[in-house]
Amino acid sequence: KLEEHETECDFRTVPCPFSCGRDTMFKKLHHHLKESHRSTHFKGKGESLSITWILKESHFSGNSKIFVNGVWENMDGQRFYCHLEKLDGKWISWICVEGGETASRKWKSKIKIKSKNDDSNIDFEGKVFSIDCTKTEIVPIGECFTMTDEEVRNLKNLNTSDEDKLSGLWGKLFIEFSVEIKTLEEVTQKILESV
């Protein structure tokens, strides 16, 4: 009972969902985000968060640092945090819920890299992580969305119009983050797997 309470307690310490390296009390998370990250992330309200990321040729050279952070609140007031980062030559993305393991078990993530023509979309469905999880815990378990440079280049070529190219724009990446409540069958399956 005490262990379960500690994983959901408002006074527990959680890592910043935007990977700034600061830990903060869960109860004071909104204050930290307002003070430290007001303009460093995308924001939205609704069932999903869509982001258009402007690509540069330099994103594909060496180990250039790329990351995109976003937060959105669904219609029931539940907050979600999304992250896209290039790590070791791979484009990796995941979603966290503002809550503990109990909250994260209810949801599944949906990440879609969209193309102008729907035939070339890349869809991912997977785990929603609790706000307590850090990047160093999330990435190694392999339950996040991963793309190669080649896949991103192919989408870049599909999403860049002739007009964009004439204006000097190198490329675009259209990303949609959303979540869905798991079905009773999916929740039961997860419980059975953990026993």
Side-chain angles (χ1 to χ4, degrees):
K1 272 284 204 212
L2 179 61
E3 201 174 281
E4 190 177 309
H5 167 77
E6 288 174 348
T7 63
E8 306 293 329
C9 178
D10 284 350
F11 296 98
R12 74 188 186 280
T13 301
V14 296
C16 173
F18 298 142
S19 303
C20 74
R22 283 197 50 210
D23 290 343
T24 188
M25 190 184 305
F26 180 77
K27 186 177 180 168
K28 295 183 178 183
L29 181 61
H30 292 188
H31 176 73
H32 166 72
L33 295 175
K34 238 166 97 176
E35 295 299 310
S36 302
H37 302 288
R38 173 168 282 163
S39 63
T40 61
H41 60 281
F42 294 89
K43 301 172 187 92
K45 188 165 180 84
E47 295 309 311
S48 65
L49 179 65
S50 294
I51 296 170
T52 300
W53 182 253
I54 303 301
L55 293 169
K56 299 176 184 168
E57 196 167 1
S58 63
H59 290 153
F60 299 92
S61 59
N63 273 333
S64 63
K65 184 81 172 136
I66 301 161
F67 62 92
V68 178
N69 290 311
V71 59
W72 84 95
E73 193 172 293
N74 73 7
M75 301 318 273
D76 296 325
Q78 179 66 63
R79 282 179 171 230
F80 297 92
Y81 299 87
C82 54
H83 188 82
L84 171 72
E85 185 168 352
K86 187 172 181 193
L87 294 167
D88 301 321
K90 299 240 189 279
W91 300 67
I92 299 173
S93 186
W94 63 87
I95 298 174
C96 292
V97 62
E98 188 172 285
E101 282 300 315
T102 304
S104 72
R105 280 193 288 264
K106 294 190 310 192
W107 300 95
K108 60 182 169 185
S109 69
K110 293 184 163 219
I111 301 170
K112 180 184 284 194
I113 307 297
K114 297 180 0 175
S115 169
K116 280 185 183 174
N117 65 22
D118 284 342
D119 297 345
S120 300
N121 288 343
I122 300 174
D123 293 298
F124 170 81
E125 192 173 289
K127 179 176 180 156
V128 170
F129 295 90
S130 78
I131 195 75
D132 303 275
C133 294
T134 63
K135 174 173 63 177
T136 55
E137 295 168 325
I138 293 170
V139 173
I141 63 172
E143 290 191 46
C144 42
F145 179 65
T146 305
M147 290 185 299
T148 63
D149 275 345
E150 186 178 336
E151 289 172 308
V152 174
R153 268 195 193 97
N154 289 340
L155 280 167
K156 180 243 1 154
N157 292 336
L158 289 170
N159 289 336
T160 309
S161 68
D162 291 336
E163 188 178 301
D164 290 336
K165 290 174 189 169
L166 287 173
S167 73
L169 180 68
W170 195 77
K172 294 178 188 174
L173 197 59
F174 301 115
I175 314 158
E176 182 180 84
F177 297 94
S178 63
V179 293
E180 202 173 271
I181 292 181
K182 289 180 181 174
T183 64
L184 182 58
E185 185 178 297
E186 290 169 317
V187 172
T188 306
Q189 181 65 31
K190 279 290 181 194
I191 291 169
L192 291 174
E193 287 172 6
S194 66
V195 174

